[in-house]
Amino acid sequence: MGNLPSALTTFVGRDRDLAEVRHRLGTTRLLTLTGVGGVGKTRLALEVAAASAVDFADGVWLVDLAPVRDQSLTANATANALGVPDLGARPIVDQLSVFLAHRSPLIVLDNCEHLIDACAELAHALLSASPGLRILATSRRALGIFGEHLFAVPPLAPDDAVELLRDRTTAVRPEFRITDGNRAQVRRLCDGLDGLPLAMELAASRLRTLTINEVVNRLKDRFGLLTSGSRVARPHQRTLRALVDWSHELCTPAERLLWNRLSVFAGEFGLEAAEGVCSGDGIAQDEVLDLLDRLVAQSVVLPTEREGLPRYRLLETLRQYGRERLAESGQEQWIQRRHRDFYLALAERTADGWYGSGQQESLTQLRAAHANLHAALEFGGDPQATLVLAAALRFHWCEGGFLGEGRHWLDRALAAAPEPSPARARALWAAAWVAVLQHDHATAYRWLDEAGALGEQLEDPVVCAYVQSLRGTLALFSGRLEEAVCSFEAAVTAHTETGEEIGAIYAMIQMAAAQSHLDDPRTTQTCRQAVALAEAHDGQLVLAYAQWTLGYDAWRRGDLAEAVVMIRASLENEHGFNDFLRVALMLEQLAWVTAAGGDHMQAGRLLGAARALWRDTGTSISTFGPHMVEQHAQCEEEVVQALGPAAYKTALEQGGNHRGPDEAIVYALRNEFEPTAVAPAPSPLTRREQEVAALVAKGMSNRQIASALGRSPRTVDGHVENILAKLGFGSRAEIASWWTANQVPTP
């Protein structure tokens, strides 16, 4: 459990510091490592955290605060690092407190100095809410709250400094040795660098081409110039500034230019971003990779990884230096605009291509870019462009678990660009969607009223269709089911007329849910049509919604086999999206089906799994309407009557012993539902078609089946068409139900 990055270099020295910090961490709940920039606070904290991982069953988590510029987003950055979704309209610090109340993790708050007040408030709130929590902070100054203990990180001891220089130099120059002939100069160099690890890293990169004597002599001149300059800066600060100045000067003009421009990035960035933002006016796009490699070799840029994606980053000290030089060059505004435009293009590509395959990959890419998305939104050069960006990120906000931040940025962008425009109309319905998911119905209606009026004024039927659909969602969540069906019917028609088929599918899925609660005879037809259309679009989430709704309808009809197949398939498609509420609803419904099938112990465990997710988000099933509360209560009453209160409590505890949606899904899918056994009828399918049907029943797409069987997607498409024709079916859902009911054995 945790998100600590893998160390790319060895940890040298500091044995006593490491032992002392670990000891203090065991006796205090808030320990802050203080010290000057470059002294190694972050590396020591990470080493302590890694060594302490076995002591924290709920994980060790790094919160990198260096990219955060807005004090109000400090808690959001913490939630993002811990994988806690921001779901409610209440402050995110309250949501974090609920999530951590029954957990005992170690959180490393790194680089607190520029957010000192926000970090102090956050630490106080979380430590008060979670008795088992420990916080290890790094900062150039203390947080200043009651109960804080401090550890001043000293420079490296002389022997450790020499060993670090040797280790890092041999990494870039394997033949380097410390001998009797150069030992004195090595010691002199380390003493001159004040034992600062960052200074050692930069000096070692220069020993690739220079001798120890050359480095010592050049730095001697540099230190002399610096000492005669600023008399205000502390000695360690002067040393580090001198070395960074020298490292910058030794770069080629193109390397210096890239260093300066890379400083526009907040936190980590990918190669594509570096090429898109930093090329031009002195750097060709195809030169960026080579220049990056050279800066990596000089310890200016660090390679890393995030969400499985290769990334780069600048140490904060070097980023700040590069930003100063960028401002001096007069190119800062130009680079900031290119940065904003790059992430705007990324957001628009994601939104335009959302309704197809690759949704998990898209959300992963946006999460990796999260800090840079903030930086792009903060750039105030063009309010209309910011409005477009905030709206284009709607799937990041709503499907990625960033509702609070989405509301923050959409509210801010809408206030800054009040003019009636197509961009405002789209942002209004996106803001309404966020408010709907936050269950702030009053705000949602206010945004929808303006969006609807503006959509009609601009004659934008797409905006009007989404407004109609969201009105249906509000009615559904409020229990006004007949009104919801009417709204969704109108929305399906409106989306179909505009060619927005995917919007029609979402409206159709929600209409089917409302119809099902009303026992509308059209429900099953609506569900099957939605599943068939969703399968054609090959989007995981829309297919999960459709399967889930068909499963609910099947349960209402008493077809438990089909209900289980559909709900399990929806859970499989949900895996990896970290959506607490959707998974909780699916688990609830699977519990209802399981109870109806007679397995009350497993139904109780599934209710426990759902309850843990409701608890972690501070919500309940009542959020989704009184009809859902009633069905939950009926299931719970049936399970308690069958098991007794004590056994039911045990089942709840067993089911709730997981850490988040993905573990809950794995737990739920571990147990197979066993319908009443019947002798299978002879199958009309060929052996290969039976294999394909079995995989369809598992919720796999044609592409996934092709990969599993080692066949081309076109061949699998043909098999599925043959199966549908032979069985007289119109959707994959019917294949899955047929397969589960017949369980044709495959050779």
Side-chain angles (χ1 to χ4, degrees):
M1 290 289 291
N3 68 338
L4 294 185
S6 300
L8 299 178
T9 56
T10 54
F11 183 75
V12 176
R14 291 203 187 278
D15 292 341
R16 293 180 61 182
D17 295 339
L18 183 61
E20 178 64 19
V21 173
R22 287 200 67 189
H23 171 72
R24 294 195 190 186
L25 193 60
T27 60
T28 182
R29 298 184 60 213
L30 172 60
L31 178 62
T32 302
L33 307 185
T34 62
V36 298
V39 79
K41 300 182 294 296
T42 295
R43 186 62 192 270
L44 178 58
L46 291 177
E47 200 68 20
V48 169
S52 305
V54 294
D55 301 326
F56 295 92
D58 291 309
V60 178
W61 303 88
L62 170 65
V63 183
D64 181 8
L65 295 172
V68 180
R69 297 287 172 262
D70 186 339
Q71 295 253 1
S72 68
L73 296 176
T74 303
N76 298 80
T78 304
N80 185 22
L82 269 65
V84 178
D86 179 6
L87 300 174
R90 60 181 178 164
I92 185 62
V93 68
D94 293 345
Q95 298 177 60
L96 269 171
S97 296
V98 169
F99 182 84
L100 292 171
H102 55 281
R103 289 180 164 87
S104 302
L106 170 63
I107 297 177
V108 180
L109 293 178
D110 191 31
N111 291 298
C112 297
E113 52 271 353
H114 62 299
L115 305 167
I116 205 73
D117 293 336
C119 288
E121 293 174 9
L122 176 67
H124 176 75
L126 298 186
L127 290 169
S128 299
S130 174
L133 172 66
R134 296 287 188 275
I135 294 178
L136 179 62
T138 73
S139 177
R140 296 186 187 184
R141 54 196 180 108
L143 302 188
I145 64 174
F146 180 76
E148 178 185 25
H149 288 229
L150 303 178
F151 179 85
V153 179
L156 287 172
D159 288 345
D160 288 346
V162 169
E163 176 57 21
L164 178 63
L165 185 71
R166 185 205 63 77
D167 180 86
R168 299 302 189 258
T169 303
T170 55
V172 296
R173 187 177 171 184
E175 69 277 10
F176 177 79
R177 298 288 185 275
I178 296 178
T179 65
D180 291 341
N182 64 12
R183 191 179 308 278
Q185 285 290 72
V186 168
R187 177 77 70 177
R188 183 180 176 189
L189 174 59
C190 292
D191 291 344
L193 296 175
D194 289 338
L196 295 177
L198 176 56
M200 304 292 173
E201 301 268 1
L202 294 173
S205 72
R206 291 303 164 193
L207 287 169
R208 176 197 296 265
T209 55
L210 299 175
T211 66
I212 283 287
N213 288 337
E214 288 173 325
V215 172
V216 169
N217 291 333
R218 293 187 183 207
L219 284 178
K220 179 181 178 181
D221 294 339
R222 170 61 62 184
F223 291 152
L225 289 172
L226 196 69
T227 303
S228 63
S230 172
R231 298 182 180 277
V232 178
R234 290 179 293 178
H236 289 319
Q237 291 175 327
R238 292 201 302 264
T239 298
L240 190 58
R241 179 71 185 202
L243 195 61
V244 175
D245 276 337
W246 184 55
S247 295
H248 194 264
E249 289 175 10
L250 289 179
C251 290
T252 66
E255 291 168 355
R256 288 197 295 270
L257 198 57
L258 183 60
W259 179 348
N260 300 345
R261 292 178 182 178
L262 290 174
S263 68
V264 76
F265 289 106
E268 298 162 355
F269 54 90
L271 174 60
E272 182 183 3
E275 290 174 336
V277 174
C278 300
S279 61
D281 194 17
I283 300 178
Q285 184 168 320
D286 59 5
E287 293 178 321
V288 172
L289 177 58
D290 180 60
L291 292 172
L292 263 177
D293 285 343
R294 287 194 243 160
L295 290 177
V296 168
Q298 297 170 53
S299 297
V300 174
V301 172
L302 300 180
T304 183
E305 184 179 292
R306 172 77 62 181
E307 304 275 358
L309 302 173
R311 316 286 288 170
Y312 299 92
R313 64 187 292 262
L314 289 168
L315 288 175
E316 185 60 15
T317 299
L318 304 184
R319 192 200 67 81
Q320 291 174 359
Y321 180 90
R323 195 60 178 263
E324 291 176 16
R325 291 304 183 97
L326 182 64
E328 292 169 3
S329 72
Q331 291 190 337
E332 188 173 29
Q333 287 284 315
W334 174 65
I335 287 293
Q336 283 184 294
R337 190 173 299 108
R338 287 176 64 92
H339 179 274
R340 191 270 320 279
D341 291 346
F342 176 86
Y343 287 101
L344 173 57
L346 171 64
E348 289 185 314
R349 284 198 308 273
T350 301
D352 292 343
W354 178 253
Y355 298 114
S357 60
Q359 291 176 330
Q360 279 198 33
E361 292 80 1
S362 294
L363 290 179
T364 296
Q365 191 173 23
L366 291 176
R367 277 198 306 273
H370 192 71
N372 282 296
L373 295 174
H374 280 187
L377 286 161
E378 287 171 350
F379 178 58
D382 182 351
Q384 284 294 321
T386 302
L387 194 61
V388 172
L389 175 57
L393 288 170
R394 57 190 177 273
F395 296 108
H396 183 53
W397 310 136
C398 295
E399 301 289 7
F402 296 101
L403 292 179
E405 289 189 39
R407 182 163 187 164
H408 168 85
W409 292 113
L410 282 162
D411 285 354
R412 178 168 153 172
L414 285 164
E419 306 83 10
S421 66
R424 182 172 181 82
R426 289 190 293 273
L428 284 167
W429 79 254
W433 185 20
V434 170
V436 166
L437 295 178
Q438 288 185 308
H439 312 292
D440 183 355
H441 292 189
T443 298
Y445 277 121
R446 176 164 58 87
W447 288 137
L448 288 176
D449 287 344
E450 184 181 349
L454 186 54
E456 290 182 6
Q457 177 186 335
L458 298 173
E459 298 182 348
D460 189 332
V462 173
V463 169
C464 293
Y466 278 108
V467 168
Q468 188 67 53
S469 187
L470 286 168
R471 289 191 185 280
T473 304
L474 286 168
L476 177 62
F477 285 178
S478 300
R480 304 192 307 275
L481 302 177
E482 292 87 352
E483 178 187 336
V485 170
C486 291
S487 292
F488 288 131
E489 286 176 338
V492 169
T493 300
H495 279 298
T496 302
E497 289 175 351
T498 64
E500 284 264 331
E501 188 178 63
I502 197 69
I505 298 173
Y506 272 102
M508 194 180 298
I509 292 169
Q510 295 182 82
M511 180 171 68
Q515 288 175 335
S516 184
H517 293 303
L518 291 168
D519 293 320
D520 189 318
R522 301 171 295 173
T523 303
T524 303
Q525 179 183 353
T526 305
C527 288
R528 295 201 190 286
Q529 184 180 0
V531 169
L533 291 171
E535 288 173 348
H537 276 271
D538 198 25
Q540 267 184 273
L541 286 181
V542 68
L543 181 56
Y545 299 159
Q547 291 167 329
W548 167 32
T549 307
L550 179 56
Y552 179 78
D553 170 64
W555 170 67
R556 301 269 296 188
R557 288 186 277 109
D559 188 344
L560 302 187
E562 181 177 26
V564 168
V565 168
M566 288 296 100
I567 297 174
R568 288 173 65 90
S570 69
L571 283 167
E572 288 175 354
N573 278 317
E574 273 290 343
H575 192 273
F577 284 99
N578 198 43
D579 193 301
F580 282 67
L581 298 190
R582 276 201 305 266
V583 173
L585 280 171
M586 291 174 181
L587 292 172
E588 282 274 353
Q589 291 184 7
L590 188 57
W592 305 346
V593 176
T594 304
D599 189 347
H600 295 99
M601 179 58 77
Q602 178 62 8
R605 295 188 188 105
L606 291 169
L607 288 175
R611 186 180 70 166
L613 297 178
W614 297 126
R615 176 198 63 200
D616 284 346
T617 55
T619 56
S620 73
I621 198 169
S622 63
T623 303
F624 298 92
H627 47 286
M628 302 294 283
V629 175
E630 181 181 350
Q631 288 163 347
H632 169 85
Q634 289 173 354
C635 177
E636 186 172 50
E637 182 180 358
E638 178 184 341
V639 172
V640 172
Q641 286 180 350
L643 299 179
Y648 175 56
K649 181 181 179 182
T650 299
L652 287 176
E653 291 172 351
Q654 290 174 347
N657 189 26
H658 60 74
R659 299 183 179 94
D662 282 356
E663 285 193 16
I665 290 172
V666 171
Y667 177 80
L669 296 179
R670 241 176 21 191
N671 296 281
E672 294 287 345
F673 180 81
E674 296 291 347
T676 303
V678 295
S683 173
L685 306 182
T686 66
R687 181 180 303 179
R688 178 63 72 187
E689 288 166 352
Q690 290 178 36
E691 291 178 344
V692 171
L695 297 177
V696 168
K698 292 183 178 180
M700 296 175 67
S701 68
N702 284 7
R703 185 178 293 107
Q704 291 170 325
I705 294 171
S707 176
L709 297 180
R711 297 290 185 270
S712 72
R714 180 174 298 179
T715 299
V716 173
D717 291 343
H719 285 315
V720 173
E721 289 174 6
N722 290 340
I723 294 169
L724 291 170
K726 287 182 178 181
L727 300 178
F729 293 157
S731 75
R732 299 166 73 90
E734 292 176 288
I735 297 175
S737 298
W738 173 85
W739 177 265
T740 302
N742 290 275
Q743 284 294 295
V744 180
T746 55

